[in-house]
Amino acid sequence: MKRWKLKSLCAALACAIMIPASVYADTKQDIENVQQQKEDTQERMAQVEKRIEELQALRADAKAYIAAMDAELAAVEENIADLEAQKVVKEQEIATTEGELKEAEEDEKEQYESMKLRIQFMYENGNQSYLDAILSAGSIADLLNKADYIAQITAYDREMLDKYVATRELVEDKKAQLIRENEELSVLIHNAEVEAQSYQQLIDAKAVVIAEYEAQIAEGQAEVSSMQEALNAFEAEIAELEEKLRREQSKRVYDGGQFTFPMAWYYRVTSPFGYRIHPIFGYGHGHTGIDLSADTGTEIYAAYDGEVVISTYNSAAGNYIAINHGKDSGGNVLITMYLHCSKLYVSEGDTVKAGQLIGLVGSTGNSTGPHLHFTVKYNGEYVDPAPYIGLQ
Ligand SMILES: [Zn+2]
């Protein structure tokens, strides 16, 4: 589009004033070179941006994987906590059983000791005691009772001893069972800890991969931002070269003649020129033209003979026109601009005469009410338009 415009502008100029193309061929070549560099950079930037997107997708996958592994790990850790609680209970049971065992052993020992004593006593005093028992019997029934009693004593002792031994053995079995169960719990805990460790290793390995992705993403983003800077520089260079080309292409001469007032009438100057170059930072700021308020539809005229180089719309200037009046005797190009129009009557490439109707006042673009913003650019700089149109 831009190239087409340039070509059509060249063609129009060539027809009108017969400039050989070779005069500005170098600048055109420069523009094409920078344009090519810009396109190459854009292509590289698109590739890097695509790679960043791929890396971001990989990073998202890795993060999802870590989240899944974290959930698994949490389940295993919960299981470990549960097993450890079981182990605590088991160890308490073992301690209790050990108490029981000690008691059972004591009961057994006591019974054994008292039994031994009674047997010993009966053995040592056996006959006498037995005899005494028999002799002291008051009746045959009493005697039988006493004999029976003695027999019962030994049977009782044996029975009691057997019972205590059985109890002690039972408690021993119980204790052995608890110890086995406790060992099983230890094995389960150990296995779960190994499992948790393997999940943790997977998570740690993935975190390393994510860090690598992030480093690559950051590297890519730094590359993109430096390419963006390069693109901005290319664009500025292209704009500068295009302006240079326009100046080179124009052989029009400004003869120093007086400007025609650029509109049919106006109410007042609502904002004077106030453009300055910042003394330290060098950039321009302030009001680049003079604002002349008027009703919508008021006629706007070309301030002087020239060629329409811009007739278009943008969001700041609204519908606007730029006219190149040519170079003065010092070789400086003089351009006038007409902003915020409601209508444009000329097209890029048109030749206009001073006082020719080119558009109508409006409030398009960045404007709060109908007015003409009139700009004069001399040698590429904004200058106060007032002296050019007899306002001071
Ligand atoms: Zn203005």
Side-chain angles (χ1 to χ4, degrees):
M1 185 66 187
K2 197 139 213 172
R3 224 168 264 179
W4 179 84
K5 272 188 193 168
L6 279 173
K7 271 184 191 154
S8 75
L9 183 61
C10 294
L13 285 166
C15 288
I17 24 188
M18 306 297 282
I19 315 159
S22 61
V23 169
Y24 45 85
D26 286 352
T27 306
K28 278 182 81 178
Q29 189 55 52
D30 288 348
I31 290 174
E32 269 167 33
N33 289 345
V34 180
Q35 191 66 38
Q36 189 57 52
Q37 278 175 286
K38 185 187 152 188
E39 278 164 21
D40 291 348
T41 304
Q42 276 171 328
E43 212 169 283
R44 280 209 312 281
M45 196 161 100
Q47 282 166 1
V48 175
E49 276 170 342
K50 192 169 164 245
R51 180 66 189 141
I52 288 173
E53 270 171 29
E54 285 167 3
L55 287 165
Q56 280 167 337
L58 287 170
R59 181 178 63 181
D61 287 350
K63 280 187 174 171
Y65 178 85
I66 284 186
M69 290 301 108
D70 272 338
E72 298 283 351
L73 180 61
V76 173
E77 278 170 349
E78 209 172 286
N79 188 30
I80 290 173
D82 182 43
L83 289 168
E84 275 169 352
Q86 285 183 45
K87 202 164 147 62
V88 168
V89 172
K90 201 61 75 183
E91 276 160 6
Q92 280 167 351
E93 281 173 12
I94 290 170
T96 306
T97 309
E98 271 165 356
E100 283 170 16
L101 184 60
K102 210 173 157 196
E103 241 170 71
E105 281 167 350
E106 267 163 23
D107 284 350
E108 182 191 342
K109 198 180 162 201
E110 226 169 78
Q111 174 62 19
Y112 181 62
E113 293 303 325
S114 61
M115 187 180 153
K116 268 200 310 195
L117 277 176
R118 275 195 287 272
I119 288 168
Q120 190 184 10
F121 179 79
M122 278 193 290
Y123 179 76
E124 282 169 357
N125 308 287
N127 293 339
Q128 193 55 48
S129 166
Y130 191 62
L131 195 63
D132 285 352
I134 290 165
L135 290 178
S136 69
S139 66
I140 187 81
D142 189 24
L143 171 72
L144 287 173
N145 275 345
K146 280 187 170 135
D148 209 25
Y149 170 70
I150 290 160
Q152 274 177 1
I153 283 173
T154 50
Y156 171 79
D157 275 332
R158 222 174 14 250
E159 205 178 287
M160 285 306 282
L161 185 62
D162 287 348
K163 201 178 137 197
Y164 285 130
V165 167
T167 302
R168 192 250 307 147
E169 280 173 356
L170 213 67
V171 175
E172 269 176 357
D173 285 351
K174 187 173 149 194
K175 186 188 163 189
Q177 176 65 24
L178 286 169
I179 286 169
R180 270 199 302 280
E181 284 170 6
N182 195 33
E183 278 163 0
E184 277 164 19
L185 283 172
S186 293
V187 169
L188 288 175
I189 287 169
H190 174 74
N191 291 346
E193 278 169 352
V194 167
E195 198 184 356
Q197 225 165 35
S198 72
Y199 281 127
Q200 193 58 57
Q201 277 165 1
L202 290 173
I203 289 166
D204 292 346
K206 219 35 141 185
V208 168
V209 170
I210 286 178
E212 277 165 19
Y213 289 152
E214 270 165 3
Q216 287 178 44
I217 288 168
E219 210 176 286
Q221 281 165 343
E223 222 177 305
V224 165
S225 78
S226 79
M227 284 192 283
Q228 189 56 59
E229 268 173 43
L231 282 181
N232 293 344
F234 288 143
E235 269 160 25
E237 204 180 337
I238 288 167
E240 212 170 282
L241 285 167
E242 278 173 347
E243 202 176 323
K244 188 182 169 208
L245 181 65
R246 266 202 296 278
R247 283 200 299 272
E248 283 174 1
Q249 283 172 336
S250 172
K251 286 289 171 183
R252 177 168 285 276
V253 171
Y254 170 59
D255 59 13
Q258 277 297 304
F259 276 16
T260 299
F261 198 76
M263 61 203 300
W265 58 269
Y266 72 105
Y267 287 117
R268 62 189 170 276
V269 174
T270 49
S271 180
F273 176 79
Y275 189 79
R276 298 282 180 277
I277 299 294
H278 194 285
I280 295 162
F281 302 113
Y283 58 79
H285 64 106
H287 196 215
T288 58
I290 188 168
D291 286 350
L292 302 159
S293 65
D295 292 338
T296 297
T298 302
E299 292 189 341
I300 298 170
Y301 309 125
Y304 203 70
D305 298 354
E307 289 157 23
V308 177
V309 286
I310 295 170
S311 177
T312 188
Y313 173 85
N314 86 29
S315 58
N319 296 313
Y320 76 109
I321 292 164
I323 298 173
N324 178 6
H325 303 293
K327 290 172 190 164
D328 67 7
S329 52
N332 300 308
V333 174
L334 187 64
I335 286 168
T336 54
M337 294 169 80
Y338 312 78
L339 276 56
H340 312 301
C341 304
S342 58
K343 271 201 159 64
L344 303 178
Y345 291 136
V346 288
S347 303
E348 288 168 22
D350 286 357
T351 301
V352 293
K353 285 278 163 199
Q356 183 178 328
L357 175 65
I358 56 169
L360 299 180
V361 168
S363 187
T364 55
N366 186 14
S367 167
T368 53
H371 73 285
L372 171 65
H373 171 116
F374 179 67
T375 286
V376 176
K377 251 184 136 177
Y378 180 71
N379 190 28
E381 302 284 343
Y382 294 107
V383 294
D384 187 0
Y388 284 88
I389 51 175
L391 287 181
Q392 69 183 50

